[in-house]
Amino acid sequence: KKLKTPLIEDEQFWNIIAIEDWVLFQSLNRIYIYNLKTETFRIINSETTITKMYEVDESIYFQRINNGIFKIESGKDVLITDAKELQDNVVVNIFKKEEALFFETQDNGFFTYSDDTLKSWDTAINNELKTLSIYNSIELNDGSLALGTISNGILIITKEGEVAYRIGQSNGLSNNTVLNLFQDVEHNIWLGLDNGINCLNMDS
């Protein structure tokens, strides 16, 4: 009721992030920034699809397909990089390692971004990732990464880019498509699958 601008017809919302005094709602067409104190909205529009929105080191980033990666500063979108690799590939997550940003793409592995330079991540696993379809990922409490795939289960890779575990239907999962990931306080990894929920006991 507080939103004075009407929604776009059939608008679909895919992400909600709460940060400090704001709640951000991301659809495929817009990002709505709601101020909890003033109970007002700011809206970031996009002429191309907004694929995803990411919280990284207390900052919010998002991708406009065919445009690049943007950061939200003071309620406005600021272009971070329009490198072709980040225009053409769907970015499923962004991580910060030391002073570099790591962009994880759906079908083309990881890219590192530092000093205005974008490079493919120089690890053996990066070539394998180009043969998979990554749907989502999380950074675990020890700094390693859990990658959920379409049809290939879950990969857990170390900070150095080496495979620690490959887990799929053949060795425990109920289903090979991992749509969501969450790590709890006891280090277990919960997987939202295409069919059901599984839990990995990482201390076992």
Side-chain angles (χ1 to χ4, degrees), residues 73-88:
E73 295 182 355
S74 301
K76 297 181 179 179
D77 49 325
V78 177
L79 179 67
I80 298 299
T81 174
D82 59 357
K84 183 171 174 54
E85 295 88 343
L86 301 180
Q87 293 186 36
D88 299 342

Side-chain angles (χ1 to χ4, degrees), residues 33-103:
I33 304 171
Y34 180 61
N35 188 309
L36 293 167
K37 288 186 174 179
T38 63
E39 299 186 345
T40 57
F41 280 91
R42 286 188 180 182
I43 297 175
I44 294 175
N45 290 289
S46 182
E47 295 181 1
T48 65
T49 299
I50 298 175
T51 57
K52 205 166 182 182
M53 180 173 64
Y54 330 84
E55 182 179 356
V56 185
D57 199 22
E58 298 184 354
S59 296
I60 302 295
Y61 296 81
F62 67 95
Q63 181 189 32
R64 282 191 177 107
I65 203 70
N66 300 325
N67 289 161
I69 301 294
F70 294 78
K71 182 179 182 181
I72 298 178
E73 295 182 355
S74 301
K76 297 181 179 179
D77 49 325
V78 177
L79 179 67
I80 298 299
T81 174
D82 59 357
K84 183 171 174 54
E85 295 88 343
L86 301 180
Q87 293 186 36
D88 299 342
N89 294 290
V90 173
V91 175
V92 297
N93 214 338
I94 302 175
F95 303 96
K96 192 167 186 180
K97 303 284 189 181
E98 296 175 351
E99 295 306 312
L101 289 174
F102 274 56
F103 297 104

Side-chain angles (χ1 to χ4, degrees), residues 24-39:
L24 294 89
F25 302 85
Q26 176 242 321
S27 74
L28 300 178
N29 313 93
R30 292 171 171 169
I31 294 175
Y32 299 80
I33 304 171
Y34 180 61
N35 188 309
L36 293 167
K37 288 186 174 179
T38 63
E39 299 186 345

